[in-house]
Amino acid sequence: MDFTGLLLSVILCSSLCECGNILVVPVDFGYNSRMRNTINIGRIMMNAGHEVTLLLSDQIEHDALFKLGETNNMNKTFNVLHFKKPPVDPSKDINTLNQDHVVSLIGDAVDAFDTVLPIYFDLISHPLKDKTVWKKIASAKFDLIISDELMMVSRIIAATFNIPLILYENWGPMSFDANLVQRFNLAYVSAYVEPYSDILSFSERVFNVWDYFKLQNVNRKLFSKSFEICKELDYGDACDYIENADKIASLVFMNRNDALHYPLPLMPHVISVEGFFLENPKPLDRHYANIIEKAGKHGIIVVSFGSMFRRLWPELRTTFAKAFAAMPQTVIWSYEGPTPEGLGNNTILSKWIPQESLLNQPATKLFVTHCGASSSFQALHYALPVIGVPFFWDQPFYCQKLSHRVKSGQTVSLEGITSKKFQRAMKEVIENKTYKANAERAAAIYHDQPIPPKDKLVYWAEYVIRHKGAPHLRSQAANELNFFQYYLLDIIALVCCVCIIIGTVLVIIVKKVICFIFSNQKVKYD
């Protein structure tokens, strides 16, 4: 195409696309994949020609991982609104430097969420207290807000300034807010992040229902305290939408895909965004290219336990190090902290690795992962066999999906883990070609999509901008039904009453008939 034709195409495209002014609100308690994915939504929208502003605390840019992951150029890329936040207390923050606190959260996911509620109360109070930022939001005239569902402040902003709101659910179908994505049937849909399939045993169904009511109880604590903070700071009726987000959110962007997750019914306003955050891998630099070349025919194993488990307690890091040392592959481990005992010459430690670029290499034989949402989609996307080592929250859920739904690997529990057990699992998954074949089959399903995930995300965001919201996609009735209506208990009661009345009438009629027959027979014999 000549230059004139190209220019005309650009002008035509510009005339057809109405650029929006979008506020993106990531969850902000330290840099992690959840924050990175929400920031990536902003990048995608910016690349589509929209003006994007991030709402972040003024402390996040001091975070060591944030500096590594975002390369200190946020202000050059986005508009950034910083709300004031006190310096982070390491004893309360959830990050890799506070390993003792992170380890204390291992266990029941709902209980762990209950434990960290004070962090979310800070995430609503600090932006609301910063009136300067609030004035800037008022003057910016945003056309759309895209927010992590846990940032309750976005609901108040949307309600106050009448801005359409899209909530992003990073963990897939496990929304914290039960009203956003209805649990249509707890008999086959997980209530939260338990590692269940869609065929639940009796005991699993019992625990699933128990988790659902526990989660609702934690939700009530979150909503009531957030509402109290909002009212104290004088934000009026907008505070009502903290709990009633289903009445204000136009869409829910859900990080799920049918190749990885079990099927479930979803309302039209819930949009699966299929691991949109996956990047186009960059070529490896000479350092890593040399490592792969030296690895030879055995290839490499990529190891990453996410942003929160980059440091490990002594026993566990030694267990991993000894298992890796016994493997013929070269191991590249994203890790910071003391050098583990028993570390082999084949194992390379690095604070930051080009993870997607390494996963994209044909030399990668295995991905050892904690099964975070992002890592699980990477394993799916690159058709990699996996060893899943779940620590907490959504990780057991995703490990179960990879090992039982996709069947592309094995899950090794931290309970009772040993170097020999871990080594045997790695050896089995690498040598048994069934795991690789299953990974490739699932990847083929994942990639067979009518619309690329990033394009789908852009389309629906622009759809909301064009129509100034999408209330027509939400079922108002679904969340208005009370307990008796939702489970049709009133209908069951009606049917029971009708059956009792009919049964009673039939009994009376039968008695009358019998009495009539006997009385006639008695008269006849007399």
Side-chain angles (χ1 to χ4, degrees), residues 89-334:
D89 180 352
S91 67
K92 296 180 180 178
D93 201 26
I94 304 178
N95 62 44
T96 187
L97 298 176
N98 189 12
Q99 199 64 62
D100 289 341
H101 179 50
V102 172
V103 170
S104 72
L105 300 176
I106 294 176
D108 184 275
V110 181
D111 291 341
F113 182 41
D114 194 8
T115 303
V116 300
L117 281 182
I119 292 175
Y120 296 104
F121 300 149
D122 287 344
L123 288 178
I124 189 171
S125 63
H126 295 316
L128 293 182
K129 287 176 181 176
D130 193 334
K131 299 297 184 181
T132 302
V133 164
W134 205 259
K135 289 176 182 176
K136 290 179 180 178
I137 293 172
S139 62
K141 306 295 182 185
F142 290 111
D143 301 303
L144 176 66
I145 300 171
I146 303 177
S147 171
D148 187 295
E149 67 152 338
L150 283 174
M151 290 300 287
M152 303 293 161
V153 68
S154 64
R155 308 177 186 197
I156 302 168
I157 296 170
T160 300
F161 301 110
N162 195 27
I163 306 170
L165 173 66
I166 296 175
L167 294 174
Y168 168 59
E169 175 41 62
N170 188 66
W171 284 1
M174 297 82 65
S175 168
F176 287 100
D177 187 344
N179 289 334
L180 288 178
V181 182
Q182 292 81 15
R183 271 66 167 181
F184 285 90
N185 196 320
L186 292 172
Y188 69 100
V189 177
S190 290
Y192 195 40
V193 291
E194 292 297 337
Y196 300 145
S197 72
D198 56 347
I199 303 175
L200 280 70
S201 66
F202 175 76
S203 60
E204 286 175 339
R205 282 183 284 125
V206 169
F207 286 116
N208 200 38
V209 172
W210 175 242
D211 271 350
Y212 176 68
F213 286 107
K214 279 174 62 181
L215 180 61
Q216 286 199 319
N217 184 52
V218 175
N219 277 337
R220 278 192 289 272
K221 294 180 187 177
L222 175 62
F223 294 145
S224 61
K225 181 62 177 177
S226 299
F227 179 83
E228 181 183 322
I229 292 169
C230 182
K231 283 292 189 180
E232 285 176 357
L233 295 171
D234 200 25
Y235 283 88
D237 293 341
C239 303
D240 295 337
Y241 294 99
I242 293 173
E243 182 170 1
N244 299 315
D246 53 285
K247 296 178 175 62
I248 195 172
S250 292
L251 301 177
V252 176
F253 281 161
M254 180 179 284
N255 186 25
R256 71 171 299 280
N257 179 266
D258 292 326
L260 184 61
H261 295 91
Y262 293 104
L264 76 163
L266 295 170
M267 286 290 184
H269 75 291
V270 180
I271 309 298
S272 295
V273 287
E274 326 281 354
F276 66 91
F277 44 78
L278 296 167
E279 303 288 346
N280 294 320
K282 298 176 183 177
L284 288 173
D285 61 27
R286 177 45 51 189
H287 171 69
Y288 286 103
N290 287 339
I291 292 172
I292 289 176
E293 188 176 334
K294 289 178 182 177
K297 65 177 182 179
H298 294 297
I300 65 171
I301 297 173
V302 178
V303 183
S304 174
F305 299 120
S307 58
M308 292 185 185
F309 289 94
R310 296 160 56 78
R311 295 168 179 257
L312 300 170
W313 53 98
E315 297 82 6
L316 188 60
R317 63 181 180 243
T318 299
T319 297
F320 287 143
K322 288 181 178 179
F324 296 146
M327 299 297 291
Q329 288 78 21
T330 297
V331 178
I332 301 174
W333 184 0
S334 179

Side-chain angles (χ1 to χ4, degrees), residues 404-507:
H404 290 80
R405 168 84 164 154
V406 179
K407 295 182 172 62
S408 60
Q410 293 185 12
T411 298
V412 179
S413 172
L414 289 177
E415 186 176 349
I417 190 172
T418 64
S419 293
K420 288 195 177 295
K421 184 187 292 186
F422 192 64
Q423 181 198 348
R424 281 198 302 269
M426 290 191 290
K427 191 170 183 288
E428 163 68 15
V429 172
I430 291 174
E431 294 181 357
N432 187 336
K433 302 304 178 185
T434 303
Y435 293 104
K436 178 64 174 177
N438 290 339
E440 289 175 342
R441 182 164 55 251
I445 295 171
Y446 169 71
H447 290 294
D448 192 0
Q449 300 184 41
I451 304 172
K454 292 180 182 178
D455 292 348
K456 182 197 280 192
L457 188 148
V458 170
Y459 169 80
W460 282 107
E462 291 180 343
Y463 179 94
V464 173
I465 293 174
R466 284 196 300 272
H467 299 288
K468 302 187 186 306
H472 53 285
L473 297 179
R474 296 195 307 265
S475 172
Q476 303 295 335
N479 290 321
E480 293 295 334
L481 297 174
N482 61 39
F483 180 85
F484 290 94
Q485 294 169 324
Y486 188 84
Y487 291 102
L488 297 178
L489 297 181
D490 51 351
I491 304 298
I492 293 172
L494 174 64
V495 171
C496 289
C497 288
V498 170
C499 289
I500 290 170
I501 291 170
I502 292 173
T504 303
V505 170
L506 288 174
V507 168

